[in-house]
Amino acid sequence: MTQLAPFYAMNNVIQDYAWGSTTSVNELFGIANPEGKPQAEIWMGAHPNGCSQIWVDGEWQSLATMIANAPDAMIGAATQATFGELPYLFKVLAADKALSIQVHPSKAQAETGFAKEEAAGLAASAANRNYKDPNHKPELVFALTPYLAMNGFRELPEMIALFEQVNVAEIEELVAALKQGSDAKALAAFFHAMLSLDGERKDGALAALMSYANAHADDKLCALLIDLETQYPGDIGLFAPLMLNVVMLAPGEAMFLDACTPHAYIKGTGLEIMANSDNVLRAGLTPKFMDVEELVACTRFESMPVGEILTQPLMEAGISHFPVPVNDFKISVYQGEHALRTDSAEILLAIDAPMTLRCGEAMLTVEKGHSAFVPAATGEFSVDSAGRFARAYN
Ligand SMILES: [Zn+2]
């Protein structure tokens, strides 16, 4: 086997999903977009649906292949023993339109659900397949621009007040029952009933909701409903902003998206890091398959206080570490020059300016919006940038 280098330049896949911004990645990073396609997500990692390449001995090689050839050196023996793969996927995500409202299962739910669908012989690509793998999918998003999203259920009194204000006749009884119960059980029943509305009752409820929104278009929440309706007309997810916390992250702020917690990205560009999984249960703002029973079974019906949405970073000189309650990934954002040491495979992304990595005689400079892969075996190295760089590791 050839000797590993201390770090490698990466060539990353850009996904052109329809909801992606056609301008943001270009504006922030100068990555050309001659065809004017959406530049929705830049994937940095070894996921089969968009594996990065790394520059090895004068040619591009698949990162997944390089890891498979030397797992202990590339991702570290401990990570190989625990995960058997690079355990995280790191992304730049640029949303111009809302992504579906979703819940990710817990690890235990994913293991059970995956085993059940495998046993039932459901094809991996089947539209009604919920579990693509047996893994959980915790996520953390770090805002590069103002970043609008939904995360967690609102406090019940606030949610009830919003529904009473909008006062939709078709769901009056459901709101009354929620108010009567005012607990997790009542919220579960309400959420289930709302997502199950259909036919004339659903159409009538949505018409009433939108007529209220249009009459109060100067209200921020109503303006959001009007905007979402242009993207997803007739979608039951238009009620989600009344149920979920709507949050605008300022650039530099981050939040964690926990298992079993409904969330959605609405608009903005950020960095996202997640466990290596594709398990998504949808809850609206989507034309795709929705399994309401499985969704409700995987949802924790607990309110998330607004004060707990943001992830508070641990600060050191020129460093913000964003703590997460999982061991699949870590993420920190640095500014300036730093001496680092690998304990796992790392992916470094230059955010504002070029960054230069050094290790002994070796040196690598990558432009902003581009990344470098650092094998677990590298040990001590340094990074210097006139701006910020992000560090993904585990
Ligand atoms: Zn998600």
Side-chain angles (χ1 to χ4, degrees):
M1 198 196 82
T2 52
Q3 181 77 26
L4 283 187
F7 26 68
Y8 297 93
M10 296 175 78
N11 181 27
N12 302 311
V13 173
I14 299 184
Q15 310 280 10
D16 61 358
Y17 307 135
W19 49 259
S21 169
T22 56
T23 54
S24 187
V25 162
N26 176 262
E27 281 165 10
L28 285 172
F29 301 128
I31 295 175
N33 188 15
E35 293 171 67
K37 281 197 201 166
Q39 292 174 306
E41 294 186 350
I42 304 175
W43 283 27
M44 296 169 279
H47 196 282
N49 294 347
C51 183
S52 297
Q53 296 177 302
I54 60 175
W55 187 250
V56 185
D57 298 333
E59 58 180 343
W60 291 112
Q61 302 255 17
S62 146
L63 177 57
T65 305
M66 287 294 292
I67 291 173
N69 288 343
D72 288 1
M74 288 291 274
I75 63 174
T79 298
Q80 175 64 13
T82 308
F83 298 97
E85 60 182 4
L86 185 67
Y88 57 84
L89 177 61
F90 189 28
K91 296 177 180 177
V92 173
L93 183 150
D96 195 38
K97 297 194 187 85
L99 284 71
S100 61
I101 304 159
Q102 48 190 248
V103 169
H104 305 301
S106 68
K107 186 90 175 85
Q109 287 161 342
E111 282 168 2
T112 312
F114 181 73
K116 226 160 124 187
E117 291 187 349
E118 285 287 287
L122 232 57
S125 58
N128 61 340
R129 175 112 200 189
N130 289 314
Y131 298 95
K132 309 283 199 294
D133 54 70
N135 204 6
H136 64 169
K137 187 172 176 275
E139 307 169 339
L140 179 135
V141 61
F142 171 88
L144 294 175
T145 68
Y147 195 91
L148 187 60
M150 293 187 263
N151 189 3
F153 288 109
R154 291 178 184 269
E155 304 271 21
L156 288 185
E158 185 187 310
M159 190 189 303
I160 292 160
L162 282 171
F163 275 96
E164 286 184 339
Q165 206 178 329
V166 174
N167 192 20
V168 172
E170 286 81 354
I171 56 170
E172 218 178 332
E173 287 163 43
L174 301 180
V175 176
L178 175 63
K179 192 173 182 178
Q180 175 79 29
S182 280
D183 58 7
K185 211 175 136 205
L187 177 57
F190 181 73
F191 189 67
H192 186 280
M194 286 300 295
L195 291 178
S196 307
L197 288 180
D198 61 1
E200 275 176 32
R201 195 171 172 211
K202 174 185 164 191
D203 296 345
L206 283 170
L209 173 71
M210 292 319 299
S211 115
Y212 179 90
N214 284 305
H216 300 82
D218 49 352
D219 175 82
K220 249 165 75 180
L221 194 58
C222 290
L224 172 61
L225 295 180
I226 292 167
D227 187 28
L228 289 176
E229 201 218 7
T230 64
Q231 302 173 24
Y232 296 97
D235 192 304
I236 197 62
L238 292 170
F239 277 102
L242 275 59
M243 293 190 255
L244 307 181
N245 292 304
V246 176
V247 56
M248 175 73 97
L249 301 185
E253 290 181 336
M255 68 177 176
F256 181 69
L257 295 306
D258 207 353
C260 310
T261 304
H263 59 275
Y265 299 151
I266 301 172
K267 197 181 178 75
T269 299
L271 307 180
E272 192 190 25
I273 184 158
M274 67 200 66
N276 204 17
S277 169
D278 241 347
N279 285 328
V280 177
L281 297 155
R282 293 184 188 81
L285 301 185
T286 180
K288 289 189 192 162
F289 172 70
M290 249 168 67
D291 183 340
V292 175
E293 303 308 321
E294 195 65 26
L295 170 73
V296 168
C298 286
T299 301
R300 197 164 49 232
F301 291 96
E302 252 171 41
S303 298
M304 182 187 284
V306 173
E308 291 175 15
I309 294 176
L310 291 187
T311 299
Q312 298 304 329
L314 305 169
M315 311 286 285
E316 284 178 57
I319 316 174
S320 305
H321 299 291
F322 293 92
V324 292
V326 294
N327 62 359
D328 305 75
F329 59 81
K330 289 184 187 145
I331 180 160
S332 306
V333 176
Y334 294 72
Q335 176 126 29
E337 186 171 4
H338 294 270
L340 302 177
R341 188 174 206 299
T342 54
D343 191 36
S344 70
E346 307 201 355
I347 293 174
L348 304 185
L349 171 75
I351 299 175
D352 305 309
M355 66 178 178
T356 298
L357 291 76
R358 289 188 182 85
C359 178
E361 297 290 289
M363 188 176 107
L364 171 70
T365 296
V366 301
E367 297 300 313
K368 66 176 178 175
H370 293 266
S371 60
F373 180 86
V374 187
T378 294
E380 285 170 10
F381 68 108
S382 73
V383 188
D384 188 12
S385 175
R388 293 170 299 168
F389 64 91
R391 180 188 190 198
Y393 50 127
N394 65 281

